[in-house]
């Protein structure tokens, strides 16, 4: 069956499940998401785009932005980044702060909030030249997605900042171990804004395809990262991309992926394509319930699993 | 380059590193291992065997045995096993007991000691018929490796039992949450003996190839597990197979694998082959130092990474 | 008002509360306790005894036995005991195992289970001469209480052993840090039996009065411990005697005390008397609900608080 | 021997130890403290003052301020304060953040930093009328010490704020559990300033004597708190006043007390007097090394122990 049919079939197959799960409620802009929305999109390493469902509906990247900032920071800092952040799965969320303490302010990996703050701090210090840090990040995502109109949703960014006490705790805690170079407030501001960049599901799949294609954007032909680095970012997504459900996602879907609390998930089929899904209802681990189901169907129907 | 040359090249390339790392010292039989020994072996999904180095040197499986008991228990119990053990990476070893407490006696995954005790308990309850549990496990490994002479190294088993206070603590703790059906002493006895089964590197690669071949042993043609289950065992190995260095192994090697404290590592290249290495010097995370290096070379030189 | 009237008044005042709280249910012998039973008893430093309520009802010491074994072990080992066990409050029970790990097998204090196992281990190694360890402990308590008929309740001891997986976990864990000299099973056996020694409330108050009287038993005139050591045992009881409600007991009652899960509490008024209460219903922290209330009334009515 | 002689004797006896321990180095104003300085002072419940050593040397209260803010907050809020903060010892510092998480943002007690932030938040919300929160706190301490010239050391306050990332982490973390009513920055500002109030050892003993005298200031005759509340504050000091050395202080000194990182300790002999010591060298638990020794001598020589 061709890819378009597969995506359409999945869209139809998940319909009965739409509305299950719980939309994130900690800020109004997320709480008002329509739980019936669903989109799935793919871009192959040939640059072909396939979409099904509400593929033009815009949502904030949230934690998916961590994959892009990791790419940027690795390009800027290189392997030295690993002195400041680990690459091991983090275990239960309960342990996040105690692990930071036990490991002297070195976050477990760049895809949990603590690690993402360190990555953003590295970008604040090292990237951009004349561009501000958030412009650098935004520019990178616009390039990846091929759309210069992509922007920060300022309302979401403001809400994130107003309710982000836990991230502020984390930032200050890391700073107390001298593992942030810049002001906590500066890093948090960039972080909250990177999380609030709004994309469509189509753009999301398009923007991730460099990781399926050995580090080269197949549309523009631009080399984004070295092939080995792309593989390694995929490895980190597989082991750490879904918080404390990373093992479950690997078990059920078998693809590197990264989820965001707004309901998006981006996944990579190495050598073949990037796939993105959107559905705002979350499962009890904070990942898109129907999105995970859709990717499980995708992997099962297409035989695309890294295992 | 053909596979035999690759293995020979790796054997030569790691020679300068032999002796680095620290041989496990907690029992005499491990402490006396020759730190200069090295072996690498592979079996392809066509059933071809390749070996290089001390491929006939015998060592105890230790934690690698957990992959075999997981396979057995999943075949016996099915998905119900996941009610008793999770499939998420475990985070730092420091947290192992506190996580057991926080998660009410449900170990994080079947490849850490706590989880392996639950898996062995399931085998004690459900497998074997007229065979004792350790005979069942041993029989399974003999079949996988194609050698009926494979046996428990009784001296190692005795030493493990005499020094295994931490495992005894774990077993009693899990029992206090009613997540062991059998006597703690019975489960520990089987567990210590499964860890003490001695194999060669050649046998180890041979015994793992069913996981590279969709669950079918390519030599005997026997279906060992369903294809989907084989993929899922691979997923668990990738996310949980190297204790608190699982993320690092995924990052550097990019293959599902499982290490043992005696210095062995078995890795799976889905669709292609199983590879095993042996070198008793361990890195600071308790995994074979030269073994990991050899697999990293193998992945880099052959391009075999799941990412 | 004289002491007898005070005790009688308290007995009457707590009557409406009898039956509140939950009787310990983990073994049948405790579960069958009559929740309406109540006793209060005191022995002054002049050796006078006062009792009210069911003062002849027998119950097992449980954790209160830890005060006696601590006294014995300090007399046998001296300050060296503090190399093997701390004297700091333990924080929440959730942390007990993680703290043991963080602190390398040194329990926080001798009045939590982990610490009591180390204390009992010291007694097994150092006390008794021709007497067995449990005979030594039993002999000490008989001497303190002035009743040679006091005995281990063997049914309770057996039940404790059969369900004591958590204590077995603790013992093995401490052993893995080499902080138990004897077999785990031996230490556990003595421990479960010391907890099962059955006393009356009258005997309990009598047996504790040496701690109110500068270390001298006022009835026999025997010096049990040095005056300074008696003070220090009182200090440990005040900071650590009620598990994770030690601060609350200090706040509400203001006296050194030790509770047991069977419903007894022994308290010390330095320079004046020992007071014991019994009521099997426990509050949510595992201490006698009505017993704590009775001691709070006692402290308020008599002005006896160390603060 | 009279009290003046006792204090002088202690001053002489500790002389050989002056310079031991480590002066706090996290801010310049503390790091520059003279490690040879020593003072001891007492005020009896008759209002008599005794001093020895450098009793007029000024140092910042640091954590000792928590006793005063606790008194103020209890007077303002009453027992409702205990809905927002516990009164149990905190266990090892390692656990502070994980306990906050496990206990949903309710700090263990008001004498650890987390709890003190909640107490200060209550003062910000409820105290003062026309006075600012820091003026309220300062006014209370001036009244207790009988010196209107007592002031915040603004240089220390500034340094505390500049390096207080860990406290900022704590404040934000508590806020994320909705257990701070005011802005984190506002609470931190008051907190850092209350810690920076500078007193002499003589003033410190004077300001604490209400806790020895049933809640009444013996000099002014003013009732500061109810007698029962004074006893309870003493109980909290005894169980929680020295961080993770509270048990050790109870064991060695046997008096309610509160230490500060600048080297001061205030202790209470209920019904008799308040005693304060100052010596900036700290032991490995962060309490004044010579100060603790001096109080241990004081308790031993005068027989003043609550046990």
């Amino acid at each position: 069956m061709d890819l378009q049919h597969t995506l359409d079939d999945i869209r139809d197959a998940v319909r009965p499940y739409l509305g299950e799960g719980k939309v994130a409620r900690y800020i109004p802009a997320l709480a008002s998401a329509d739980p019936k929305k669903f989109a799935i999109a793919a871009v192959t390493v040939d640059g072909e785009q396939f979409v099904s469902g509400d593929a033009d509906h815009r949502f904030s990247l949230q934690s998916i932005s961590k994959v892009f900032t990791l790419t940027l920071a690795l390009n800027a800092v290189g392997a030295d980044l690993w002195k400041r952040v680990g690459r091991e799965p983090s275990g239960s969320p309960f342990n996040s702060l105690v692990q930071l303490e036990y490991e002297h302010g070195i976050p477990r990996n760049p895809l949990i909030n603590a690690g993402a703050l360190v990555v953003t701090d590295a970008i604040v210090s090292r990237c951009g030249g004349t561009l501000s840090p958030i412009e650098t990040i935004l520019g990178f995502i616009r390039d990846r997605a091929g759309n210069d109109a992509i922007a920060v949703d300022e309302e979401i960014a403001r809400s994130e900042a107003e309710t982000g006490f836990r991230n502020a705790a984390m930032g200050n805690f890391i700073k107390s171990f001298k593992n942030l170079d810049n002001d906590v407030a500066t890093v948090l501001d960039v972080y909250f804004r990177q999380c609030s960049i709004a994309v469509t599901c189509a753009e999301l799949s398009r923007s991730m395809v460099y990781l399926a294609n050995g580090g080269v954007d197949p549309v523009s032909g631009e080399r984004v990262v070295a092939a080995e680095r792309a593989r390694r970012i995929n490895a980190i997504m597989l082991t750490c991309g879904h918080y404390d459900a990373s093992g479950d996602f690997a078990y059920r879907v078998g693809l590197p992926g990264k989820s965001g609390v707004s309901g998006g998930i981006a996944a990579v089929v190495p050598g073949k394509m990037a796939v993105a899904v959107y559905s705002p209802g979350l499962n009890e681990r904070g990942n898109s319930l129907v999105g995970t189901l859709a990717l499980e169907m995708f992997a099962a129907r297409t035989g695309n699993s890294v295992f």
Side-chain angles (χ1 to χ4, degrees), chain A residues 109-180:
Chain A
N109 67 65
L111 300 186
I112 54 172
N113 289 14
L117 289 173
V118 169
V119 167
T120 295
D121 181 65
I123 291 174
V124 172
S125 294
R126 301 283 290 274
C127 293
T130 59
L131 295 178
S132 74
I134 188 63
E135 286 170 334
T136 303
I137 296 167
L138 193 54
F140 180 78
I141 292 171
R142 286 170 170 172
D143 288 351
R144 295 288 71 68
N147 179 0
D148 277 355
I150 287 173
V152 173
D153 181 323
E154 294 291 349
E155 185 201 335
I156 292 182
R158 209 163 31 243
S159 289
E160 297 281 355
E162 279 165 16
T163 60
F165 299 114
R166 208 176 172 98
N167 284 311
M170 206 86 85
N172 278 287
F173 197 46
I174 297 169
K175 182 83 176 175
S176 78
F177 287 104
K178 302 190 193 306
N179 196 15
L180 281 193

Side-chain angles (χ1 to χ4, degrees), chain A residues 223-235:
Chain A
R223 170 157 296 284
V224 181
V225 281
E228 186 183 77
R229 187 160 283 161
R231 273 200 300 276
R232 290 177 162 184
I233 293 171
N234 289 339

Side-chain angles (χ1 to χ4, degrees), chain A residues 79 82 85-90 106-110 232 235-236 239-240:
Chain A
W82 304 122
V85 60
R87 48 197 189 225
E88 293 303 328
S90 58
I106 306 295
R108 298 279 293 172
N109 67 65
R232 290 177 162 184
I236 292 171
T239 52
C240 313

Side-chain angles (χ1 to χ4, degrees), chain A residues 40-120:
Chain A
I40 185 164
V43 172
T44 66
V45 295
D46 305 319
E48 267 193 290
Q49 171 93 63
F50 301 85
V51 302
S52 194
D54 307 305
D56 296 327
H57 177 74
R58 221 156 260 286
F59 56 92
S60 54
L61 281 174
Q62 299 294 340
S63 287
I64 303 174
S65 67
K66 293 166 184 167
V67 178
F68 300 118
T69 53
L70 173 60
T71 303
L72 274 170
L74 278 174
N75 278 348
V77 183
D80 278 356
L81 187 68
W82 304 122
K83 296 178 183 164
R84 297 181 58 191
V85 60
R87 48 197 189 225
E88 293 303 328
S90 58
S92 75
F94 179 76
N95 288 304
S96 55
L97 277 162
V98 78
Q99 283 190 330
L100 261 185
E101 176 132 24
Y102 188 59
E103 297 171 346
H104 308 294
I106 306 295
R108 298 279 293 172
N109 67 65
L111 300 186
I112 54 172
N113 289 14
L117 289 173
V118 169
V119 167
T120 295

